[in-house]
Amino acid sequence: MSISRRKFLGWLGAAGAGTTLGRSAHAAGTANFSGYPDALGVLFDVTRCIGCRKCEEACQKVNGLPAPEKPFSDLTVMAQKRRTDSRAYTVVNRYEQDPGVRGPLYRKSQCNHCLEPACASACFVAAFKKQSNGAVTYDESVCVGCRYCMIACPFEIPAYEYDQAFTPRIMKCTFCHPRLVQGQLPGCVEICPAEALTFGKRRDLLRIARERTDRFPGRYLDHVYGETEMGGTAWLTISGVPFRELGMREDLGTTPAPELTKGALSVVPIVAGLWPVLLTGIYAISQRREKIAREEQAAAVTAAVAKAQAEAKAKLADAVAKAEKDKQAAIAKEVKKALEEAAKSSARENPAAAAAEAEKKPN
Amino acid sequence: MPVPKFAIQKPAWTPFNVVAGIIVVVGLVVTVIRFTQGLAATTNLSDYNPWGIWIGFDLLVGVALAAGGYVTSAACYIFGLKRFHSAVRPAILTGFLGYTLVVLALHYDVGRPWRLPYPFIVQRGTTSLLFEVAACVALYLTVLFIEFSPAAMEWLGLKRARQIVVKLTLVLTIFGVVLSTLHQSSLGALFLIAPSKLHPLWYSPYLALYFFVSSIIAGLSMVIFESTMAHRYFHNKMDAEHLRQADGVALGFGKAAAWVLAGYFVIKVVGIAQADTWGYLATSYGAWFLVELLGFVLLPCYAFAISVREKNLKLIRWTAAWSVVGIVVNRFNVGLVAFNYHLPSSERYFPHWMEIAISVFVVTIGVLVYKFIVTHMPILYSHPDYDAH
Amino acid sequence: MTSHRSLSPRAGILKPVAAALMLAALIGCTSAASSPGDTNAPRADIIRIDGLKQFGALERPAVVFLHDKHTKALAPKNKDCAVCHLPDKKYMSTKYMRLKDDSKQQVMGLYHTHCTDCHRQTTAAGEKSGPVVCAGCHGDKQIPSSWREIGMDKSLHYRHVKAQENKCEACHHQFDPAAKNLFYAKGKEETCRYCHLNRTVENVTSFRQAAHDQCIDCHRKKLALNQEAGPAACSGCHDAGLQKKIEKVKEVPRLMRGQPDVTLVQAIQRGGQKVDPGTRAKVVPFNHLAHEAANTSCRVCHHASIEACGTCHTLQGSKEGQFVNLQTAMHRVSAQASCMGCHLGYLADKRCAGCHAAMAPRPPQDVSSCASCHVPPPADTTPQSAPKQVAAALLEARRPVTATYSNDAVPETVMIKALSKQYEPVKMPHRKIVQALAKGIKESKLAAYYHPDPGTLCQGCHHHSPVSTKPPACASCHGRSFDDRNLFKPGLQAAYHLQCMECHHQMGIEKPVATDCTGCHKEKS
């Protein structure tokens, strides 16, 4: 419950604008892949493993891997914790127990062949494939070498040929897929002298594991590692001591790896679809705001100009009117004055000449 | 019309040239070793640590710091903040250079770089977030190239071609923002698949959102930071518009950065609350997380806010540089420091000197190309023959 | 290839560590904790001081206190327990500097004042001493513990009897509720734990308290007089290693407390009425004497009371017996005090585990071995009136011996040719193995009850087939591996290896080791 809510919130957040994402996040919880029917697997029984390293040897042989520096019969190499690397698809490690209580325990590690593999989900050229027989296979012919699969694998299994300059490959247990196809057993299973590795259909293996843990409750813990870890794995493990004491992580959870990125991926088309609309909208708004601002400015300018013009016109008219008035007044005054003069002079000499004189005078 | 000639004749043996020359020579030598001897000869990468600084720095930091392009062009063309116009071209240029260098660096990191187009042409792993990153980076690089091309066309005098590209500005900007949103966030989402390997304080279902939001911070800070640098070294290349707007850009971007940082701080705290990882804060990793959160998020947020209010440009520029460091710290934390936290120290990663050499080499190439372009193309000034679009 | 990479400096954690140091310095309450002399050896004197829990949640982590370390440091200064512990009414109080817990402030204050005072003074005197800052004491120190519970076994009890010159009253007492005092009742002695339970109830202190009060008080008094006495320090009684060194008296005289030598297991009805064993089809004769010899103390069976089992575990169950009825009390496999729980526990013994570890525990409804204990009373006897005589007669008649076939019936060697393509056939020393198995349990009367038939022992290996001197070969059933129509059966090779290796492992036979193929399979010449 809390996980789904957390995821939901996370994906919601990842969207940035999370209104439309609820469905995809919930849908993720209802679709459940519990493996191909009749897919194969291997049950590793820690209580049976004697630490002989025969499986390592067989693995090296059937896969044509380089021979190790020290022979497989040298069991002292198990004093150090080893992991799968580009020269070994599988390793067996020794885990010392409380001395006097029980002897050391051994744990084989190899690719667990997840039902929903993290590596396959992470690979951007789809070089990994979950085969219907349960094997997770790798196609080197398309591998770019980004090593995201190694980041993704919760069991820290894939290794890389760092020393190869031109043809580096991811190296990982193939579940002997080519042998399985031919009806042969995986190399390690075939050689195991004590059937610490039980081969079969995964659902049968779960029954076998349950039968053992039920019949010998003191000998086994009531947990089949791989039944639900990371959504389930084709390889299963049963043990009498807690798995963490055998270097196995117990905090991986039961969510298959693809579920972890499903939400983030589902956001992609939403962003691609919604962002352009949103951004164009913002653009349009900012453009419109600018346009309106421009228009308002233009209108204001026009109005101001008109007003100024009108004022100027009025002023001019006033001035003209005033000038006219002044002129008229001046004329009247001059006329009057001239008439008076004329009247005076005509009175003196010639009144007609005096009137013409007054006409000519500028104002 | 001839290109304006600003370059002043300088002696060839300047300290800059000498150092850059040495770096380039060393880089070329290491390049030869890398491509003839393989990754084992040049890196400390291991089966536990498949990603080193070529991813942690060159990809994660590189992409984040190249976010200035989309942030600035979005601000100018989409949000209509025309007063930032002079900042667009430099930002696009550094974005374009940044992404080019990211892609260049990826050639060193991946095992078979000649297959880098495979995810598009051979087989598509669409369930992978890396596919999304690859697709978006490839497309965005193209977008940036086109966005940048008018500067080159002006330099080359290709008027008609430039005319067409300029008309596409809005579409390209929108496309760029979409692509950036996707791949900036997806870089964070890359780590969603490994909850068991990334420390709970850094692992969060919000990782994608954190990367996206912090890329905005990175973009804003980088623009301020770059303009500071450019003012210092290429002042003579700037035209009046650029010089007039520069302070406004710093103030505006600083203000935006303060807000985004505040939001980022809140969502980081929300992440802690949602995952209920408070308890981890009392551990040594928690202390380091607090250094990142308080020292590189809250502190620059506060400093930006104060400096913008007081119009203290010097403080804005220092804070921008500090934020850039903060982004580097964050990407390093997610990609390297908090990743594989569960492993014993003997299995942890520390870069080989040759890895560092290549990273420095790549950055140096970036600086050199930037220098060439700003001295030859109209980046920091508008070309007198063309109107600002 | 990987290893040379991993030698690189470990910067990944350097940063957080550096940051942590900075932060620690800022916060201030620096830790002066781990003194350099501390080894990580397991200790028996680890006391978690968390008494403040009774006043609410702890504000700081509980203090891990090493008691012996303190007594050892004080001894050369002639300081004894009284430095920290006050005398109470009868015994010294086991609390620190107080008789009872009044309040949080009082308790906390006492520790904070007196512990740090002493630490400071000693430090001032130039000696090595304990911490004086918070985190020095309050911290989640992880010290491995060697602490083991200790109890009075027959040997230890006998040594106390001798030391006290048969004065049982030195330790044993009863409580008189009316007079509210302790008195000694001769012949009513019981183990302390019948009254002193896990926690203090009213007037009865917890077992832990009672044991520490009384044992240590006596030991100390004697030690003060330079007399021979038991330990007074934690590790003396509780350290796993030192416990093993406690002297064991081999021949302990029988402790008499009115128990029978032999008897019939009594069934009592709910009302207290005894069921006439004569009315039952079968009775269980019980050799009490033999069980006394086989166990370390009465408490192994008499877990809550010295009374006969049926007193509390009545036929139908009673309140006193927590409604565990007689049948369950005798048969519950998971209970140590039940017959079957104890008997099945012996299967883990090396001599038994070779065969039995590979056998799943029998389902409860398996009735095939009932007759090992439940037998019909002889027709002419009267179990009710004379249960002891009947029991004695039945036990006399039933002298179990582990049966085996005569040597001629047991093949001396068996050739296993299954892997003869790779190796020479394995010549298995069959008779030697059978003899070794038989020898291991020959002395055990208990084993003899369950191996009555000469073929029983054979079934350790020749399982899932009728008992016979000519059992089917392994390959008759075990064939190819991973047969999906026969999921639970291992293939032939695994069947051999699992059987041989598991038995060798369980019986502690170290050679040949499981990984040494040629130890059994001779190389082909």
Side-chain angles (χ1 to χ4, degrees):
Chain A
M1 160 68 207
S2 69
I3 288 175
S4 74
R5 191 191 61 202
R6 172 214 275 208
K7 257 196 244 166
F8 177 73
L9 283 171
W11 299 334
L12 206 66
T19 44
T20 52
L21 294 167
R23 256 185 66 88
S24 72
H26 275 307
T30 55
N32 187 20
F33 177 69
S34 51
Y36 288 105
D38 290 345
L40 300 165
V42 170
L43 171 66
F44 174 57
D45 187 335
V46 175
T47 70
R48 288 186 176 188
C49 182
I50 58 171
C52 63
R53 298 186 70 209
K54 292 273 184 214
C55 49
E56 291 187 39
E57 188 174 1
C59 179
Q60 182 251 326
K61 281 203 182 109
V62 303
N63 290 297
L65 297 171
E69 287 167 32
K70 290 181 180 172
F72 287 108
S73 55
D74 183 354
L75 302 181
T76 58
V77 299
M78 285 193 285
Q80 280 178 327
K81 291 288 155 289
R82 300 169 302 147
R83 61 155 286 165
T84 54
D85 59 34
S86 59
R87 292 153 173 272
Y89 288 166
T90 185
V91 290
V92 178
N93 277 324
R94 181 167 64 212
Y95 296 89
E96 298 296 342
Q97 300 296 302
D98 212 354
V101 180
R102 72 170 102 208
L105 293 173
Y106 303 91
R107 202 258 299 180
K108 178 181 184 296
S109 63
Q110 73 299 307
C111 174
N112 286 322
H113 299 276
C114 302
L115 301 186
E116 295 178 68
C119 53
S121 141
C123 183
F124 74 157
V125 282
F128 291 94
K129 187 161 190 267
K130 177 75 179 171
Q131 305 287 348
S132 58
N133 66 6
V136 177
T137 55
Y138 162 74
D139 175 8
E140 63 156 298
S141 71
V142 293
C143 178
V144 180
C146 71
R147 308 186 295 284
Y148 187 32
C149 50
M150 296 165 72
I151 294 281
C153 178
F155 303 106
E156 298 172 328
I157 291 301
Y160 199 61
E161 291 183 315
Y162 288 105
D163 47 354
Q164 295 291 322
F166 305 107
T167 57
R169 293 170 295 173
I170 289 287
M171 300 298 273
K172 170 193 98 67
C173 160
T174 63
F175 203 169
C176 283
H177 179 64
R179 287 168 61 89
L180 290 185
V181 170
Q182 289 168 16
Q184 287 175 294
L185 289 171
C188 53
V189 170
E190 189 178 60
I191 204 158
C192 182
E195 278 182 29
L197 300 171
T198 304
F199 176 84
K201 288 178 187 145
R202 185 175 183 270
R203 55 185 158 82
D204 287 342
L205 296 177
L206 282 169
R207 285 178 61 207
I208 294 172
R210 287 277 166 239
E211 193 257 359
R212 288 187 199 164
T213 56
D214 287 352
R215 275 182 70 211
F216 297 97
R219 191 182 167 115
Y220 296 100
L221 297 178
D222 187 20
H223 182 159
V224 183
Y225 193 97
E227 183 176 13
T228 57
E229 273 74 12
M230 293 307 290
T233 57
W235 282 60
L236 307 164
T237 306
I238 49 174
S239 158
V241 300
F243 295 97
R244 62 179 169 277
E245 290 175 22
L246 303 170
M248 299 163 81
R249 293 191 67 168
E250 292 179 335
D251 57 348
L252 296 178
T254 58
T255 311
E259 292 285 323
L260 296 165
T261 53
K262 212 173 185 173
L265 281 168
S266 73
V267 169
V268 175
I270 300 298
V271 170
L274 212 52
W275 248 220
V277 179
L278 212 66
L279 295 171
T280 316
I282 293 172
Y283 171 75
I285 289 170
S286 75
Q287 285 296 103
R288 171 134 184 86
R289 212 166 39 201
E290 261 179 47
K291 193 180 162 201
I292 290 172
R294 254 199 321 268
E295 281 172 2
E296 279 176 353
Q297 198 182 10
V301 167
T302 320
V305 167
K307 197 177 162 202
Q309 279 173 345
E311 274 173 11
K313 221 179 201 171
K315 229 181 207 170
L316 190 69
D318 277 358
V320 169
K322 192 167 171 254
E324 192 66 21
K325 214 169 133 192
D326 287 353
K327 190 177 155 192
Q328 292 301 331
I331 290 171
K333 198 178 159 192
E334 285 299 318
V335 168
K336 200 179 162 193
K337 202 173 147 190
L339 285 175
E340 278 170 16
E341 284 284 327
K344 266 189 216 166
S345 68
S346 67
R348 257 187 338 249
E349 34 184 292
N350 189 358
E357 189 78 7
E359 243 356 57
K360 269 183 199 165
K361 194 169 181 178
N363 54 13
Chain B
M1 169 109 189
V3 174
K5 200 113 176 101
F6 289 104
I8 303 156
Q9 212 55 38
K10 270 188 193 168
W13 293 99
T14 60
F16 174 83
N17 287 355
V18 171
V19 173
I22 291 170
I23 292 172
V24 169
V25 170
V26 172
L28 290 173
V29 172
V30 176
T31 302
V32 172
I33 301 175
R34 156 66 188 92
F35 288 107
T36 53
Q37 310 288 308
L39 287 163
T42 39
T43 69
N44 275 340
L45 297 176
S46 67
D47 292 332
Y48 279 120
N49 302 288
W51 284 358
I53 57 165
W54 290 348
I55 296 292
F57 179 77
D58 296 20
L59 176 65
L60 297 186
V61 174
V63 168
L65 296 188
Y70 88 89
V71 170
T72 315
S73 56
C76 180
Y77 297 132
I78 295 178
F79 290 83
L81 304 171
K82 289 280 155 44
R83 63 179 187 277
F84 300 141
H85 184 256
S86 67
V88 173
R89 268 209 183 164
I92 295 280
L93 170 64
T94 39
F96 174 54
L97 282 180
Y99 277 87
T100 313
L101 297 174
V102 163
V103 174
L104 173 70
L106 281 179
H107 283 75
Y108 286 83
D109 185 74
V110 302
R112 307 193 197 194
W114 51 92
R115 286 183 174 180
L116 273 170
Y118 273 30
F120 313 118
I121 57 171
V122 176
Q123 201 159 267
R124 282 155 298 279
T126 49
T127 57
S128 173
L129 276 156
L130 198 59
F131 179 80
E132 192 203 328
V133 171
C136 291
V137 168
L139 285 171
Y140 187 48
L141 185 59
T142 317
V143 167
L144 278 171
F145 174 73
I146 301 172
E147 282 189 301
F148 162 75
S149 63
M153 291 165 178
E154 287 169 17
W155 178 52
L156 298 169
L158 303 170
K159 287 193 184 183
R160 180 169 289 178
R162 179 196 174 276
Q163 222 30 57
I164 297 167
V165 175
V166 166
K167 282 199 179 122
L168 291 173
T169 303
L170 179 66
V171 176
L172 288 173
T173 306
I174 289 177
F175 202 35
V177 174
V178 170
L179 291 170
S180 294
T181 308
L182 289 178
H183 74 260
Q184 292 284 3
S185 59
S186 294
L187 281 177
L190 283 182
F191 294 92
L192 284 177
I193 205 162
S196 57
K197 295 184 186 175
L198 186 59
H199 191 281
L201 280 172
W202 280 273
Y203 185 89
S204 164
Y206 298 124
L207 255 178
L209 185 63
Y210 292 159
F211 267 58
F212 173 60
V213 175
S214 56
S215 82
I216 299 175
I217 298 165
L220 295 168
S221 305
M222 262 320 259
V223 168
I224 301 175
F225 177 72
E226 282 159 13
S227 102
T228 309
M229 293 288 115
H231 269 267
R232 189 143 173 208
Y233 298 106
F234 303 104
H235 196 272
N236 54 349
K237 303 277 183 302
M238 294 174 176
D239 65 2
E241 186 204 6
H242 199 107
L243 292 171
R244 196 177 57 242
Q245 288 189 349
D247 290 355
V249 168
L251 281 171
F253 277 36
K255 192 175 180 181
W259 279 108
V260 182
L261 276 162
Y264 183 63
F265 177 78
V266 171
I267 59 173
K268 285 288 268 189
V269 175
V270 167
I272 301 290
Q274 177 263 99
D276 199 8
T277 43
W278 299 105
Y280 289 103
L281 292 177
T283 64
S284 57
Y285 272 103
W288 181 234
F289 180 83
L290 287 173
V291 169
E292 184 194 318
L293 187 63
L294 303 178
F296 291 101
V297 179
L298 203 55
L299 181 65
C301 172
Y302 180 71
F304 269 131
I306 291 293
S307 52
V308 167
R309 195 183 63 182
E310 295 175 359
K311 305 235 182 318
N312 184 342
L313 288 164
K314 199 172 172 190
L315 184 56
I316 288 185
R317 300 208 155 106
W318 277 109
T319 310
W322 186 244
S323 295
V324 169
V325 175
I327 296 296
V328 178
V329 168
N330 173 257
R331 298 304 195 258
F332 264 62
N333 280 344
V334 174
L336 302 169
V337 178
F339 191 80
N340 275 340
Y341 74 103
H342 62 292
L343 291 181
S345 55
S346 60
E347 298 292 352
R348 296 300 301 274
Y349 162 86
F350 189 83
H352 192 278
W353 72 263
M354 292 201 215
E355 292 179 75
I356 300 172
I358 288 298
S359 289
V360 173
F361 170 64
V362 167
V363 172
T364 308
I365 291 187
V367 173
L368 292 176
V369 176
Y370 179 86
K371 198 180 164 205
F372 174 83
I373 293 178
V374 294
T375 46
H376 290 89
M377 298 184 199
I379 301 295
L380 301 172
Y381 58 94
S382 296
H383 197 288
D385 281 6
Y386 304 89
D387 290 338
H389 25 274
Chain C
M1 184 189 77
T2 341
S3 60
H4 85 87
R5 280 203 200 92
S6 59
L7 289 174
S8 57
R10 34 243 43 142
I13 53 153
L14 269 179
K15 281 186 204 164
V17 169
L21 287 175
M22 271 161 53
L23 198 79
L26 282 171
I27 291 169
C29 225
T30 44
S31 143
S34 57
S35 49
D38 271 356
T39 56
N40 218 26
R43 299 185 66 102
D45 61 335
I46 305 161
I47 295 174
R48 272 175 65 83
I49 304 179
D50 56 1
L52 289 182
K53 271 201 299 203
Q54 60 185 312
F55 301 112
L58 296 179
E59 291 167 27
R60 280 193 163 259
V63 172
V64 173
F65 175 82
L66 301 179
H67 194 276
D68 285 357
K69 203 172 167 185
H70 286 79
T71 45
K72 212 171 147 191
L74 290 169
K77 302 179 182 174
N78 283 327
K79 287 182 177 175
D80 67 353
C81 313
V83 178
C84 299
H85 296 286
L86 307 180
D88 205 347
K89 276 169 229 155
K90 193 167 173 193
Y91 305 110
M92 174 188 80
S93 166
T94 52
K95 292 177 186 297
Y96 176 67
M97 293 285 211
R98 65 193 188 277
L99 298 180
K100 59 187 174 65
D101 305 341
D102 291 327
S103 69
K104 187 174 174 177
Q105 266 61 37
Q106 171 236 1
V107 177
M108 192 165 74
L110 280 172
Y111 285 107
H112 286 171
T113 317
H114 296 292
C115 294
T116 46
D117 271 1
C118 185
H119 288 173
R120 264 198 208 97
Q121 283 160 19
T122 355
T123 314
E127 292 171 61
K128 217 179 96 185
S129 188
V132 291
V133 293
C134 315
C137 298
H138 295 278
D140 277 329
K141 251 184 279 181
Q142 296 294 328
I143 301 169
S145 170
S146 63
W147 188 93
R148 296 284 180 280
E149 194 187 65
I150 186 163
M152 273 285 174
D153 61 12
K154 281 186 299 190
S155 156
L156 193 58
H157 186 263
Y158 176 63
R159 289 176 59 211
H160 279 83
V161 170
K162 267 210 305 195
Q164 296 290 345
E165 293 156 345
N166 286 321
K167 283 202 278 292
C168 307
E169 64 270 31
C171 301
H172 288 278
H173 53 243
Q174 307 271 317
F175 182 67
D176 180 355
K180 296 209 167 157
N181 63 1
L182 299 176
F183 66 99
Y184 172 66
K186 183 79 190 158
K188 297 270 186 198
E189 300 87 353
E190 290 176 329
T191 174
C192 318
R193 301 187 209 224
Y194 292 163
C195 298
H196 296 281
L197 304 173
N198 276 339
R199 57 176 63 200
T200 301
V201 188
E202 288 175 33
N203 293 313
V204 190
T205 51
S206 68
F207 172 70
R208 184 166 179 261
Q209 185 68 46
H212 285 93
D213 281 345
Q214 203 166 322
C215 300
I216 295 174
D217 183 65
C218 184
H219 291 179
R220 274 183 62 222
K221 278 179 184 153
K222 292 201 165 227
L223 286 170
L225 299 169
N226 278 331
Q227 291 177 354
E228 193 193 341
C234 310
S235 58
C237 294
H238 289 294
D239 183 79
L242 293 177
Q243 267 183 18
K244 282 183 192 149
K245 290 185 186 151
I246 295 174
E247 186 196 328
K248 287 268 183 263
V249 182
K250 283 218 177 72
E251 292 296 322
V252 180
R254 191 176 179 201
L255 264 180
M256 294 311 297
R257 211 20 199 85
Q259 73 273 39
D261 289 354
V262 293
T263 186
L264 294 178
V265 175
Q266 302 245 333
I268 298 172
Q269 298 267 29
R270 194 173 278 152
Q273 186 196 351
K274 286 188 182 178
V275 177
D276 177 1
T279 62
R280 322 289 290 176
K282 306 267 170 81
V283 291
V284 176
F286 179 70
N287 190 338
H288 198 281
L289 182 59
H291 282 81
E292 282 173 45
N295 287 295
T296 55
S297 79
C298 310
R299 206 156 46 81
V300 173
C301 301
H302 293 277
H303 57 103
S305 149
I306 202 73
E307 301 297 325
C309 313
T311 316
C312 302
H313 299 296
T314 58
L315 207 55
Q316 294 91 352
S318 72
K319 188 165 179 274
E320 291 73 35
Q322 300 190 336
F323 299 101
V324 175
N325 61 25
L326 187 64
Q327 182 276 126
T328 313
M330 297 295 147
H331 298 109
R332 182 176 280 169
V333 172
S334 56
Q336 260 302 296
S338 87
C339 303
M340 280 185 74
C342 186
H343 288 176
L344 287 173
Y346 281 89
L347 294 180
D349 189 288
K350 268 208 294 205
R351 293 164 297 176
C352 309
C355 296
H356 284 280
M359 295 179 192
R362 292 193 173 178
Q365 61 270 31
D366 180 1
V367 294
S368 61
S369 59
C370 297
S372 303
C373 301
H374 295 266
V375 289
D380 54 340
T381 53
T382 50
Q384 188 181 20
S385 53
K388 286 179 183 133
Q389 283 82 339
V390 173
L394 284 170
L395 287 168
E396 185 63 30
R398 194 178 67 176
R399 289 188 167 275
V401 180
T402 298
T404 45
Y405 288 118
S406 65
N407 272 352
D408 343 327
V410 181
E412 192 182 349
T413 56
V414 170
M415 299 298 274
I416 303 174
K417 297 170 189 163
L419 283 176
S420 54
K421 267 188 207 158
Q422 264 177 281
Y423 298 100
E424 294 287 340
V426 176
K427 194 170 160 192
M428 187 179 77
H430 181 264
R431 192 185 289 156
K432 235 174 94 186
I433 292 169
V434 175
Q435 283 168 342
L437 289 172
K439 192 182 159 206
I441 59 170
K442 208 173 76 185
E443 303 298 324
S444 166
K445 223 164 123 189
L446 179 61
Y449 276 113
Y450 296 98
H451 300 87
D453 189 284
T456 312
L457 202 60
C458 306
Q459 295 207 294
C461 296
H462 299 280
H463 54 190
H464 307 315
S465 67
V467 175
S468 159
T469 48
K470 297 269 182 270
C474 303
S476 318
C477 296
H478 295 281
R480 68 182 179 92
S481 300
F482 319 126
D483 180 355
D484 59 3
R485 278 154 298 180
N486 212 337
L487 291 177
F488 307 117
K489 194 190 285 180
L492 182 61
Q493 187 197 34
Y496 278 125
H497 283 147
L498 285 171
Q499 194 83 294
C500 300
M501 289 171 183
E502 180 70 11
C503 180
H504 281 204
H505 173 67
Q506 295 291 347
M507 295 187 79
I509 299 165
E510 286 174 358
K511 281 196 173 165
V513 291
T515 49
D516 175 18
C517 306
T518 52
C520 298
H521 303 269
K522 290 272 169 304
E523 209 81 67
K524 252 194 166 161
S525 46

